[in-house]
């Protein structure tokens, strides 16, 4: 099947493939620009994006603001005509500051989840930046659309993220551990049915981007057949040469077995999917009080948290020793590939080389 283009507002991606935002430091300018240059939509993770800046420990907010512009500029240099955006968790402290800076720097779109991004229309008002919430249910989508309509705005697209995604998940911890969650197909169907009523009422088109467990051309085709206009892929992009993670982080993916993929409760109180590494085993057995608090989000209390999630993610990105988030299919990855080869494979192009993914 030849894949259609993906239209989000005035933006048109040749391939309907959106690279998922992965923080901290996993999807920065290197990965995002490579995806954008090959016809998809590249997403830079804005979560603690300045963690490698020399003054981050002293002033993390200033370092993050500076890094937003720096990473976007580097991505533009590598892909001057590609579509490049940012992903920001709506529960982040200083969320408004970071979104406004990304808009000021010229981000094509803002993708936002991990909570309900009610303020996104106001933060992007007067700009051409597209706004795309991440939801896992029609209920969450309804809440966002209702709130945004009061601000005179509708989503330019909606990412529907299912239970097989990596990192923080939009499902209850108990449902994830008991496997009582709905499949992505059901999530897409219920959001599609709701958005059709919105589209009819307002004479607009709001494309759905399905994410979580998308790993092959067949997966892409299945989501498009269900009414999605595109897909979001995260985990498979980690095992690429262009991914911004360190070699040790990527090797952990390649070494992971199915029994190593775990559902955890992160320090911010959300269910998440990660690889069972020595770090994760240690923090589940003991309490590692933070040496300092980076003030990344209010949901985490330094006095009670088992460990600092920011520090754990910094360490993972730098040398693979910290908290390594992943999607459900991480254990099926066996070797590194490149972004162009992976994009060809997902698009079903005959010139695609042998997959590094075992289905």
């Amino acid at each position: 099947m030849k894949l259609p283009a993906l239209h989000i507002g005035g933006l048109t991606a040749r391939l309907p493939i959106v690279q998922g935002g992965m923080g901290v430091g996993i999807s920065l300018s290197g990965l995002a620009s490579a995806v954008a240059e090959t016809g998809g939509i590249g997403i830079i993770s804005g979560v603690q994006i300045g963690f490698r800046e020399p003054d981050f420990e002293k002033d993390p907010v200033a370092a993050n603001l500076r890094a937003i512009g720096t990473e976007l500029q580097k991505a533009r240099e590598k892909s001057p005509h590609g579509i490049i955006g940012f992903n920001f968790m709506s529960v982040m402290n200083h969320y408004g500051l970071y979104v406004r800076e990304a808009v000021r720097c010229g981000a094509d779109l803002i993708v936002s989840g991990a909570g309900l991004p009610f303020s996104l229309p106001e933060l992007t008002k007067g700009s051409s930046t597209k706004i795309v919430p991440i939801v896992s249910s029609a209920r969450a989508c309804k809440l966002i659309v209702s709130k945004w309509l009061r601000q005179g705005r509708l989503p330019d697209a909606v990412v529907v993220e299912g239970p097989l995604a990596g990192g923080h998940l939009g499902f209850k911890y108990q449902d994830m551990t008991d496997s009582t969650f709905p499949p992505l197909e059901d999530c897409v169907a219920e959001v599609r049915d709701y958005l059709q009523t919105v589209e009819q009422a307002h004479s607009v088109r709001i494309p759905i981007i399905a994410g979580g467990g998308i790993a092959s051309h067949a997966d892409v085709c299945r989501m498009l057949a269900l009414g999605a206009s595109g897909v979001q892929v995260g985990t498979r992009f980690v095992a690429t040469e262009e991914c911004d993670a360190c070699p040790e982080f990527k090797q952990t993916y390649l070494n992971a077995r199915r029994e190593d993929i775990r559902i955890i409760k992160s320090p911010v109180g959300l269910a998440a999917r990660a690889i069972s590494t020595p770090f994760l085993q240690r923090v589940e057995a003991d309490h590692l009080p933070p040496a300092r608090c980076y003030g990344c989000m209010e949901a985490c209390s330094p006095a009670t948290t088992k460990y600092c999630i920011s520090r754990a993610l910094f360490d993972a990105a730098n040398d693979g020793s910290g908290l390594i988030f992943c999607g459900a299919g991480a254990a099926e990855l066996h070797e590194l590939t490149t972004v162009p080869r992976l994009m060809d494979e997902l698009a079903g192009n005959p010139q695609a080389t042998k997959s590094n993914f075992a289905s």
Side-chain angles (χ1 to χ4, degrees):
M1 171 185 175
K2 180 176 171 56
L3 300 184
L6 174 60
H7 304 281
I8 299 179
L11 304 173
T12 298
R14 179 171 57 82
L15 293 174
I17 299 169
V18 180
Q19 163 250 311
M22 296 174 284
V24 171
I26 309 307
S27 63
L28 297 174
S29 58
L31 179 56
S33 62
V35 174
E37 190 64 8
T38 48
I41 296 179
I43 302 295
I44 298 169
S45 171
V47 180
Q48 297 288 54
I49 189 172
F51 74 110
R52 290 188 177 120
E53 292 290 303
D55 61 338
F56 180 79
E57 294 288 331
K58 180 180 178 181
D59 191 346
V61 175
N64 286 333
L65 289 170
R66 185 187 321 115
I68 287 170
T70 301
E71 288 298 320
L72 183 57
Q73 181 180 355
K74 289 194 294 186
R76 293 283 189 219
E77 289 170 356
K78 294 178 181 178
S79 181
H81 305 296
I83 302 173
I84 300 168
F86 281 85
N87 178 295
F88 293 105
M89 297 173 62
S90 64
V91 295
M92 295 164 56
N93 284 337
H94 313 294
Y95 173 74
L97 274 178
Y98 297 148
V99 170
R100 283 197 169 102
E101 181 63 11
V103 171
R104 187 190 71 79
C105 292
D108 292 317
L109 70 162
I110 303 293
V111 180
S112 190
L116 300 174
F118 289 145
S119 61
L120 204 47
E122 181 60 32
L123 296 173
T124 57
K125 190 174 182 179
S127 75
S128 61
T129 302
K130 311 308 174 191
I131 51 178
V132 182
I134 300 175
V135 303
S136 295
S137 66
R139 178 178 177 275
C141 193
K142 289 176 185 178
L143 289 171
I144 292 169
V145 169
S146 176
K147 190 78 170 181
W148 285 16
L149 276 172
R150 294 176 204 159
Q151 302 173 64
R153 196 72 159 81
L154 282 167
D156 293 294
V158 172
V159 172
V160 179
E161 199 168 85
L164 302 183
H168 291 110
L169 304 165
F171 299 88
K172 294 178 181 178
Y173 176 78
Q174 198 66 43
D175 286 337
M176 293 303 303
T177 56
D178 293 346
S179 296
T180 54
F181 48 75
L184 174 60
E185 289 83 353
D186 289 356
C187 299
V188 168
E190 70 167 26
V191 174
R192 179 203 61 207
D193 290 347
Y194 166 65
L195 285 179
Q196 284 176 346
T197 67
V198 177
E199 291 174 332
Q200 292 167 4
H202 298 276
S203 300
V204 295
R205 174 77 174 126
I206 304 174
I208 288 174
I209 300 161
I214 307 300
S216 67
H217 178 65
D219 290 337
V220 178
C221 293
R222 190 174 75 258
M223 290 301 114
L224 297 183
L226 288 173
S229 297
V231 296
Q232 177 182 272
V233 179
T235 292
R236 289 220 54 193
F237 281 113
V238 172
T240 62
E241 295 175 6
E242 296 88 345
C243 177
D244 297 279
C246 66
E248 294 86 353
F249 187 104
K250 300 177 188 181
Q251 194 60 48
T252 300
Y253 267 55
L254 302 183
N255 293 344
R257 302 162 301 174
R258 291 187 181 182
E259 56 266 33
D260 295 327
I261 310 303
R262 300 276 306 282
I263 297 299
I264 66 169
K265 185 175 286 186
S266 92
V268 301
L270 298 173
R273 180 174 279 107
I275 297 176
S276 182
T277 59
F279 169 81
L280 187 56
Q281 295 160 15
R282 189 165 68 250
V283 297
E284 288 185 331
D286 198 6
H287 178 85
L288 298 180
R292 65 155 292 176
C293 178
Y294 294 95
C296 56
M297 55 190 77
E298 292 180 1
C300 179
S301 168
T304 59
T305 186
K306 293 197 71 173
Y307 60 95
C308 173
I309 190 169
S310 283
R311 184 74 261 167
L313 294 173
F314 300 161
D315 291 342
N318 283 330
D319 60 20
S321 65
L323 178 62
I324 296 185
F325 284 145
C326 70
E332 311 306 323
L333 296 169
H334 303 304
E335 61 185 19
L336 288 181
T337 186
T338 66
V339 166
R341 289 174 188 159
L342 176 53
M343 293 291 280
D344 272 344
E345 184 190 330
L346 292 171
N349 292 339
Q351 66 266 34
T353 58
K354 184 178 181 292
S355 173
N356 71 332
F357 183 84
S359 57

